[in-house]
Each structure stands twice: as C-alpha cells, then as structure tokens.
C-alpha cells in the first residue's frame, strides 16, 4: 500500500468509511467469480514486448480500439504510462486514455464501476492490495502470459512470491503485472558515516554519536500512517510474521513492544524536536538541510533534490543502506490489472505487457525515475552509472514483504496499527496497551469475514 503518497490518516479514515470490511464483503459478493473472459485465438498475435517493432502491415491490429484505465495519480509512472501509450498507439492503432485519481478515491471509483454493471474501464493501475477484495472482477493473467509468451524473468523475488496465488488465497492465478515496486529507504551522510551499521545496537550507538551540537541522528515522518513502515522495519527484523497461520495477531507480543520502544528511543533521544508531527516532506527536508545524519523515508520525496545544490546541503555526501538485521518496511507493489468485463482484454494485456516488459523497465528507471520491479534492471551498467547506490536498495527489496498479503480487510488493519502506534509514540498509551488495543481491532475486523486460507508472509 502506498503510504508514501499520503500521511493524512483522517483521509484514510474517510476512505475506510466508504470501503471498509462491509464494503469489501459486499463488493466481493457483487462480483462473485464467473467464467473468465474469453481469450481470443493468438493467430495474429505478436510478442507484447516487441510492440514497437510490429511490421507495418500488422501494426494497426487494434485500430479503432480505445482502452480506458483507472488508477492512482501523482506517481512517477503516470507520465511513463502516457509515453508508452503513444508508442502502443503508433504500433497497434489502439488509443489509451487514463483516469488518474487520488489514492483515497480509488476504492469508491472501483465500487461504483463494478456495481454499475456497465464497464467503463478496461484496466486498473494501483496498489496490489486492491486485488484482495476485487479479484473476482479481474481477469486471470495466467493464460495471457502463456499466450503472448510474456517474459516473467528478472523480477524481484517478492513479485513472484506475493503476486501469484495470494489474492483470495487462489493458487496459480495472477491478477496483474507490476509497474513499480517500493519500500522505505535508509539514507545516510557519507561524510559523517563511513560504514553503515549492520545491527540495531550499532545503529542506535551511531545515532547517539551523531546527536550533538544542534544536529540529530535520525529523522522519519511521525504522522500516524507513516509510523507503520518504521515499526515494521524493526518488528520484521526480529523474525516474526504479523499474524499466526490462523490469523491470530502477533504484533502485541514482546517483539512488537520492543519495536515500539525502539521507535520511542529514536524519537525522544536522537530526533529533532516536533518530529512526531512531521510528514514525509518535513523529514526529507531535515536530511537535505544537513540537520540529521540518517533519514528513514520514501525515496520519491527526496531523490530528485539530493544532488541539486539549490535544494540540498548534502550534495555528493549521501548514500543509501539496508535497515539493520534485514529489516524492511512494508513493500509496495503497483500492479496493472484488467477488468473481466472489458471487451478489449487482449489489447489491454498487450499494452500492459509493453509497459511492464524488460525493454521498458530500463526506460522507467532512466527517463521517469521510477522503481522498476525488474531486479535485473537495477544491475544494468547504464542504470548503475546514474545511481550507483541501487544494489543496497535491491538487497532490501529482495526480502520485502507487503502488509497482510491476501487480506480483504488490509486497510482497516493498517489504519488500526497506525493509530495504535501514534497513541504509543505520543504516550497516550503504553506500547503494550496500544498494541493490545490494535490486536483486538485486528481480530474483530478479520472475524467479520475470516479468510478460508492460512495467513503467511
């Protein structure tokens, strides 16, 4: 889930009011599994990855077709989708239109689309978590991948592990292909830190050393929604999943309490005053201004400015590292999906295959500064020339995990955890009491529509 795009918990609460457990259950009931949309014979099909090289006589195979997409606005890949659509139209004749929406409006739009019974959109682009409640209305990509010989090589491991057979616990089915991947990064000052610590004990010792003379060790966004990734990086590094296989929460365990206490330690002793009220840009600015030695945050808010001398005081004096002890915040994965009701399934798939293919993954990173889900591209010499720090980030993504994979009630659990962490960090509740209350909310939400498959990460 892209909590990098919005730190305002109240807007997420508004969203939940529209799309909570009851809404998700109703949505699933309203789009109960039906026979998959037929996939047309592939006699005239060309490999999707070669869409820009279609021979002239076959180049207009989708002339007269207009594809319409609904998805998240304000992300780096939006202009990439437009550019790729222009390539696709030139190659096949199909036009592509986009309805970019704020994150909070996506589920209401999806619900309206599926309830109307009259398909308005052909495809969707956004967080994979949306699949967890809408998958009955989505096209299974498995036969399309086989039909068009789509190259599935070179993705980060979590794309394989969590992208297939997760939504609804359905084995062997994939309901989309990824256009981007992301997780919280750790930025650090190379002029102050020669070697980044590998253990949490060494990390906190470093933060203490760097907190002196009006400067501080660390910054991170302290608003509720942004605390989740900070908690997860510490909690997951201790080896436990968020829940047992029977969906019993584990977050209020000794390890969960320890993770919150680690966050409190950083906030009270090694962070700038007022950080609990900061959102992502505020934390990024603290690092850009040279006020902190380490930033735990989303790359999109800071990468464009780090080496701009008009915006940064740390030009040339920064790098990135993995969280200590293999910690990782929640991995976000934006997928491109096809609605089962689309009359243009093949055209939509070929467009999506072009957008997510090996050829365009390099363009995503170099031209559009987006995080490609293709790990192989992160090691490309041309890409590394512009971003030599990427191998460290790639290590973190390789072990990344999404938040509560496969659970339709993911949003309610995310908000409950964010609110619980906020209450603990503001000392309105002890860490144990805050996590106990969160675990209770999780159990109540899950039991409203308990999955018939086991929880696993």
């Amino acid at each position: 889930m892209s909590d990098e795009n919005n730190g305002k918990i109240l807007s997420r609460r508004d969203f939940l009011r529209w799309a909570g457990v009851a809404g998700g259950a109703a949505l699933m009931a309203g789009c109960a599994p039906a026979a998959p949309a037929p996939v047309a014979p592939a006699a005239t099909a060309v490999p999707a990855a070669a869409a820009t090289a279609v021979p002239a006589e076959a180049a207009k195979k989708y002339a007269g077709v207009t594809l319409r997409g609904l998805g998240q606005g304000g992300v780096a890949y939006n202009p990439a989708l437009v550019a790729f659509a222009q390539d696709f139209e030139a190659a096949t004749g199909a036009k592509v239109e986009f309805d970019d929406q704020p994150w909070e409006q996506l589920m209401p739009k999806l619900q309206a689309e599926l309830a109307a019974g009259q398909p308005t959109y052909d495809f969707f682009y956004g967080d994979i978590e949306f699949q967890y409640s809408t998958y009955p209305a989505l096209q299974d990509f498995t036969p399309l991948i086989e039909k068009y010989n789509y190259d599935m090589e070179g993705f980060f491991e979590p794309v394989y592990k969590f992208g297939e057979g997760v939504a609804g616990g359905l084995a062997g089915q994939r309901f989309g292909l990824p256009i981007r991947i992301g997780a919280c990064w750790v930025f650090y000052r190379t002029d102050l830190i020669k070697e980044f610590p590998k253990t949490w004990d060494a990390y906190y010792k470093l933060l203490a050393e760097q907190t002196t003379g009006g400067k501080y060790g660390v910054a991170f966004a302290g608003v509720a929604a942004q605390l989740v990734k900070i908690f997860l990086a510490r909690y997951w590094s201790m080896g436990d999943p968020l829940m047992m296989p029977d969906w019993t929460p584990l977050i209020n365990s000794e390890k969960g309490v320890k993770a919150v206490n680690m966050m409190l330690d950083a906030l009270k002793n090694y962070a700038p005053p007022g950080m609990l009220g900061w959102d992502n840009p505020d934390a990024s600015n603290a690092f850009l201004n040279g006020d902190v030695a380490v930033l735990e945050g989303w790359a999109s808010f800071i990468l464009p400015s780090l080496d701009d001398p008009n915006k940064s005081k740390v030009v040339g004096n920064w790098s990135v590292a993995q969280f200590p002890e293999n910690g990782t915040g929640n991995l976000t994965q934006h997928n491109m999906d096809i609605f089962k009701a689309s009359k243009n399934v093949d055209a939509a798939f070929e467009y999506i295959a072009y957008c997510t293919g090996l050829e365009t993954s390099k363009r995503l990173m170099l031209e559009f500064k987006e995080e490609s889900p293709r790990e192989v591209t992160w090691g490309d010499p041309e890409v590394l020339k512009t971003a030599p720090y990427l191998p460290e980030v790639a290590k973190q993504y390789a072990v990344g995990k999404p938040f509560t994979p496969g659970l339709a009630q993911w949003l309610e659990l995310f908000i409950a955890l964010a609110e619980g962490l906020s209450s603990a960090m503001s000392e309105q509740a002890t860490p144990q009491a805050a996590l106990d209350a969160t675990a209770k909310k999780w159990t109540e939400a899950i039991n409203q529509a308990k999955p018939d498959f086991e929880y696993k990460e």
Side-chain angles (χ1 to χ4, degrees):
M1 176 169 56
S2 287
D3 50 328
E4 73 267 38
N5 293 300
N6 189 342
K8 305 298 188 289
I9 196 69
L10 288 178
S11 60
R12 291 179 182 270
R13 292 184 71 123
D14 291 338
F15 180 24
L16 182 60
R17 194 175 301 121
W18 296 316
V21 175
L27 178 61
M28 293 178 68
C31 55
V39 176
T44 61
V46 297
T52 55
V54 179
E57 65 272 15
K60 305 302 179 184
K61 62 183 291 187
Y62 294 128
V65 171
T66 297
L67 299 173
R68 296 201 71 227
L70 167 68
Q72 183 169 331
V75 288
Y77 63 79
N78 289 147
L81 294 185
V82 173
F84 298 159
Q86 293 169 350
D87 295 344
F88 192 69
E89 181 178 1
T92 69
K95 297 181 181 296
V96 187
E97 299 175 351
F98 304 92
D99 185 359
D100 295 342
Q101 292 288 325
W103 191 89
E104 292 81 4
Q105 294 298 324
L106 285 180
M107 186 60 87
K109 290 279 287 189
L110 271 172
Q111 289 181 311
E113 167 75 3
L114 299 177
Q118 298 293 326
T120 305
Y121 302 101
D122 296 284
F123 64 95
F124 176 81
Y125 44 99
D127 287 294
I128 192 174
E129 284 89 349
F130 286 100
Q131 291 183 6
Y132 300 165
S133 58
T134 64
Y135 72 88
L138 300 179
Q139 177 73 37
D140 178 10
F141 273 43
T142 308
L144 292 162
I145 289 170
E146 182 178 353
K147 171 182 174 179
Y148 287 101
N149 196 27
Y150 178 81
D151 192 346
M152 288 292 296
E153 295 297 319
F155 284 113
F156 280 100
E157 182 59 30
V159 171
Y160 302 112
K161 182 176 181 180
F162 299 107
E164 178 179 309
V166 173
L170 302 176
Q173 296 189 52
R174 179 178 292 276
F175 294 96
L177 291 169
I179 185 68
R180 62 96 61 186
I181 198 170
C184 182
W185 292 21
V186 181
F187 296 85
Y188 70 96
R189 293 272 300 276
T190 54
D191 56 329
L192 301 176
I193 304 168
K194 301 308 177 185
E195 184 177 356
F196 198 81
K198 301 296 184 184
T199 68
W200 286 111
D201 285 345
Y203 177 62
Y204 275 79
K205 180 180 178 181
L206 168 72
L207 298 185
E209 293 170 350
Q210 296 298 325
T211 304
T212 182
K215 303 296 183 180
Y216 299 90
V218 67
F220 52 79
V223 294
Q226 298 305 325
L227 293 173
V228 173
K229 64 184 185 296
I230 307 301
F231 169 80
L232 292 175
R234 288 155 174 80
Y235 176 81
W236 272 334
S237 73
M238 290 182 256
D240 280 358
L242 297 177
M243 289 179 278
M244 296 175 62
D246 66 358
W247 300 90
T248 299
L250 293 173
I251 53 166
N252 56 334
S253 66
E254 183 178 320
K255 292 179 180 179
V257 172
K258 181 179 179 180
V260 177
N261 280 324
M262 291 169 70
M263 296 168 65
L264 279 166
D265 187 16
L267 176 70
K268 290 181 176 182
N269 299 312
Y270 312 125
M275 193 184 73
L276 197 58
W278 288 6
D279 208 335
N280 292 301
D282 306 302
S284 297
N285 286 335
F287 190 83
L288 292 170
N289 291 335
D291 296 330
V292 296
V294 179
L295 168 70
E296 301 179 21
W298 297 104
S300 58
F301 288 93
I302 194 169
L303 272 181
S305 302
L306 273 168
D307 285 325
D308 182 346
N310 296 317
K311 299 179 180 179
S312 174
K313 296 180 181 179
V314 296
V315 174
N317 288 320
W318 63 274
S319 189
V320 299
Q322 187 177 10
F323 277 102
E325 302 180 28
N326 284 325
T328 178
N330 54 303
L331 187 79
T332 66
Q333 179 181 314
H334 281 215
N335 269 24
M336 300 183 73
D337 316 323
I338 300 174
F339 292 110
K340 197 178 290 186
S342 169
K343 295 183 172 67
N344 303 299
V345 169
D346 283 85
F349 180 80
E350 290 211 65
Y351 169 65
I352 290 171
Y354 178 66
C355 293
T356 63
L358 272 171
E359 293 182 2
T360 47
S361 66
K362 190 171 176 178
R363 289 183 62 191
L364 269 176
M365 300 194 77
L366 292 176
E367 293 181 35
F368 302 100
K369 310 304 179 186
E370 182 57 280
E371 299 170 73
S372 168
R374 299 267 185 177
E375 183 176 14
V376 64
T377 305
W378 289 55
D380 182 278
E382 188 176 355
V383 173
L384 287 176
K385 185 177 180 180
T386 64
Y389 50 81
L390 286 179
E392 282 300 310
V393 183
K395 291 178 186 177
Q396 185 160 302
Y397 286 12
V399 298
K401 295 186 282 189
F403 183 77
T404 63
L407 182 67
Q409 300 96 309
W410 59 273
L411 181 60
E412 186 162 358
L413 270 63
F414 183 92
I415 291 176
L417 179 56
E419 293 177 338
L421 294 172
S422 184
S423 67
M425 295 292 281
S426 60
E427 298 187 290
Q428 298 176 27
T430 65
Q432 186 69 68
L435 292 177
D436 284 345
T438 300
K440 181 180 179 181
K441 291 179 181 178
W442 279 25
T443 299
E444 291 171 350
I446 291 168
N447 286 342
Q448 290 184 45
K450 192 169 184 177
D452 58 3
F453 55 95
E454 291 187 342
Y455 179 77
K456 63 180 179 178
E457 295 177 353

